[in-house]
Amino acid sequence: MTFPSRFRLLVAALLLASAPALAKGPAPSAPPAQAASQPRDKSKASSSAPFTSVEGITEYRLDNGLRVLLFPDPTKPTVTVNVTYFVGSRHEGYGETGMAHLLEHLLFKGTPSHTNIPQELTQRGAHPNGTTWLDRTNYFETLPSNDDNLRWALSFEADRMVHSNIAKKDLDSEMTVVRNELEKGENDPSRILFQRVMSAAFSWHNYGKSTIGARADLEHVPIERLQAFYRKYYRPDNAMLVIAGAFEPQKALAEVKKTFGQLRKPAEPLPVTYTEEPTQDGERNVTLRRVGDVSALAAVYHVPEGAHPDFAAIDVLTHILGNAPSGRLYKALVETKKASSAGAYNFQLHDPGVLAFSAEVREGQSLDTARDTLVKTVEEAARTPFTEDEVNRARTALLKYVELTLNDSESAAIQLSEWAAIGDWRLFFLHRDRIEAVTAADVTRVAEQYLKPSNRTLGQFFPTAKPDRSELPPRVDVAAMLQSYKGRGEVVQGEAFDPSPANIEKRVKRSQAGGLKLALLPKKTRGEMVNVTLNLRFGTEKGVWGRSDAADYAGAMLMRGTKKHTRQELRDAFDKLKARVGVDGGATGASVWLEVPRQNLPEVMKLVAEVLREPAFDAKEFSLLQEERLASLESQRSEPGTQGRIAYSRALSPYPKGHPYYADTLEESLQGVKETTLAQAQAFYREFYGASQGELSAVGDFDPEALQKQAAELFGDWKSPAPYARVPAQPYKAGTQALVLETPDKANALFLAGQGLSLRDDSPDYPALVLGNFLLGGGFLNSRLATRVRQQEGLSYGVSSSLSAGAMDPVGSFSTYAIYAPQNAGKLETAVREELEKVLQKGFSAEELEKARAGLLEYRRTGRSDDGGLSRTLAAYLYYGRTLDFDAAFEKRMSELKPDEVRTALSKYLDWKKVTVVKAGDFAGAEKKAKAPVTTPPAP
């Protein structure tokens, strides 16, 4: 699933449910939405006059009510088609919780005209998904840009708007998949805590119900109710279509009219929700008791609907209180070591939503003290006047997010779903304008208005003699607000770039600057953006032996302050320069990636050099980092995913303790984090860091001569004190192991099975192995494993296989992965084993192979169109001594493969008798439940 990007912080995902559910199946004789699909008189098609246009995005309205947004961007080699239906969990009735999300899964099951949606999407090299949220459901696919792909996508989306099968047989298998998704969420105590808090905060409104739904509703919903829900809400006058990327607007609009324009608007009026949450009249409290390792707090306060003018100040307030490390909660809780983390986030929705706060508290810290500090910091926030510095910092960060979104038409196309669901897509721009105008007085006012004890849900109810309630203001008229809104000018456009290996090689310029090898690819990009990758390599196996923990700390401390700038000052500087920057390091090297507008690249490079060459190694920051790492590790003690992956890695790892590639146990990791000192981290930095060996690559809008000169000036005289020698990889352990790990009270289990391979990626067998693995466990839910395990048997929400090969050493691996309910462990392992053995014995059909190959080659092509990814590839190839000719030869070999060549290569390397199998989950609990009496509820 993909997360709605409007909700920018992690905890917001706690109510979200999504991910498409695809399977092939015959169409029913009478599609459930037949009445809505009668052809319309073509002479009555809507005119081509735009309804409105803002900053390069133009809206049209068809006669049937469909809203159409066109966002042309010639810099993209792709086109994105995003259809948003204004229906989410807010629209579900009693007994229907989770229905909007379950229906999203079923819309990938097929129509009479599209019987195998996963195959069609994969064959065209599409990146598709569907997501469900409180106010909307959306479906999108990004494809290589050409008239045929756009025509197909529009025809496909128009078809499934009214002709999806919504069949009982598909519901029977997909229900268990969605239930497994629910079980996956049940593993996370913080997630469940937030669900409980939201449920307590909303007594009547459906925002208090998780989008994933109730288990009983998922298991017992009749197919007839799903079909009725589909007919009720999936219709052109309840939808918005966005097309973004490389396309010709008038031609696209004509295709929209030929497809969507022929759908008839149903005679029945759209249902309207009318439930309003009463003003909260006292503190509410929730207690959750489950297996876990780190305590957590969550508190929510009701705020107005997302379109309300107050929400700009609420956004700024959220950032001021919740940001790290400048936020008031961070300073009050984390810096004082009352909590290991703290944050704030808000739900900006169609109806009044919430402003929320959270904290994690480690064992040994007082939960009562942390709770009291959180409540006091939040509810007395307005007593300490908000400063202009706080407001400016928050405004800068929020506006950076807006600008970066607009510079990526694909992201913007999907982002508009959220704003349209709030009330109108143009609110995205109006909200930006409002943020620019927010003052410290505005922030104080909204804090006083909404952050009151009577408006709080924390976890336990306390009666109040004289409640001080927060009355929400009247609803706003969105149409009136936006009637005269014009917006701004369009973002600077870039070039249409051919991402073929041959064209990249024609454009890339390679050179040397001191110890750095350079690969520079200048090209015009939307918003004049450039992506840069810098890798530094240092140390020898002997030199870094036993120093991995110190090396990890050294790398992590780089961005936590320099001798000239504090951690927050660094973050502020990068925000002002509109730069995304990541810096990290380990035992054998350090890496930097950044994305920045052309005009700010020189200043950002100077700051990056300062980060690398002049780290402060501040004792306070080191202590805070240590607390964060301990909390993160401790929270994983009971998690089957973490425990299973560690066990699998250790089962195959050939490296002894002390080796830089050694696989730690969780307890060894905790011990290393606890015992490593600041002095040890500083010593590692002093002894190894430098630019004697490394690679720098850049892709985007920049001056290559200027960047080469600046790289030499910044890093040319920075020598690594210690010698460098590549640490070779060693073959994985051979032999079969079967490991079972018990993780009590966890509803979701992990399955991993795999083996080591003696394989380099320049092996003649490698293209066949890659294609064979893609057919077995890759693609978009249409692989052999996905079809059997997810589509047909409904055993897993996520199942896949992967294959890797060394670029420099003959060390590779093959593995399969799945999550599942613990009681299905036997069925899952059998299905995975049988599908692999079937492939090794019988291989694939010529048609199956050809379709998969077409999709895989398209995925590779569109992957090279991502500037950040291409920059990382160019840097890695400098290290390997390669050019993109390697990719061209690889893809040529792949295009020539025959089915028997693929089967032969797989049979040569893979053998189920040699795999190590790891299963982690609550198997004892599942066995106990299986023996308990089963009570069947009455039929609805």
Side-chain angles (χ1 to χ4, degrees), residues 631-694:
S632 176
L633 289 169
E634 289 167 352
S635 69
Q636 300 301 309
R637 272 194 169 119
S638 61
E639 290 303 310
T642 301
Q643 295 295 339
R645 288 184 178 89
I646 290 175
Y648 180 80
S649 297
R650 289 180 59 80
L652 270 66
S653 173
Y655 304 104
K657 188 172 179 60
H659 193 284
Y661 301 160
Y662 172 72
D664 288 320
T665 66
L666 185 60
E667 292 307 316
E668 286 173 335
S669 295
L670 281 165
Q671 182 180 5
V673 170
K674 289 177 181 177
E675 296 180 357
T676 301
T677 66
L678 177 60
Q680 290 172 325
Q682 289 175 301
F684 185 91
Y685 174 84
R686 286 194 307 269
E687 293 173 28
F688 293 99
Y689 269 73
S692 298
Q693 180 91 14

Side-chain angles (χ1 to χ4, degrees), residues 774-796:
F774 185 75
L775 282 155
L776 175 65
F780 182 63
L781 303 186
N782 66 321
S783 66
R784 289 286 185 89
L785 288 176
T787 299
R788 166 82 179 270
V789 174
R790 173 167 172 158
Q791 313 284 46
Q792 296 175 358
E793 299 189 17
L795 295 173
S796 176

